[in-house]
């Protein structure tokens, strides 16, 4: 006897199995120069640029001069 979410074996033992999800294949490209990766790279570049400007404002020197003075 088989049901949607459980199976009873011989001797009326109940076996609960996880319901498997439907498997599908997505045809869109997931790596390389996709729209999402370019958007993410642009946002991370803007955050880095603002962080460098903030570092220079707060320390009074650039990153390269700060690293050479360590």
């Amino acid at each position: 006897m088989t049901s949607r979410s459980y199976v009873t074996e011989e001797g009326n033992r109940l076996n609960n199995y996880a319901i498997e999800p439907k498997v599908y294949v997505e045809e869109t490209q997931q790596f390389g120069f996709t729209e999402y990766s370019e958007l993410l790279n642009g946002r991370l570049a803007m955050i880095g640029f603002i962080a460098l400007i903030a570092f220079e404002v707060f320390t009074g020197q650039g990153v390269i001069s700060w690293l050479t003075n360590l």
Side-chain angles (χ1 to χ4, degrees):
M1 172 181 225
T2 304
S3 180
R4 191 178 137 132
S5 62
Y6 63 89
V7 174
T8 48
E9 294 180 342
E10 69 249 1
N12 290 329
R13 293 182 300 176
L14 182 65
N15 283 335
N16 292 325
Y17 297 106
I19 299 174
E20 295 185 18
K22 300 284 185 195
V23 178
Y24 67 95
V25 176
E26 192 172 331
E27 297 295 327
T28 60
Q29 183 180 0
Q30 296 295 320
F31 57 91
F33 295 106
T34 62
E35 183 178 340
Y36 174 73
S37 66
E38 291 299 315
L39 187 64
L40 182 63
N41 287 338
R43 288 177 178 168
L44 291 175
M46 287 186 278
I47 290 171
F49 186 70
I50 297 298
L52 285 175
I53 290 174
F55 179 81
E56 189 167 344
V57 166
F58 289 128
T59 62
Q61 56 185 350
V63 175
I64 295 175
S65 64
W66 179 73
L67 288 173
T68 56
N69 290 334
L70 287 178

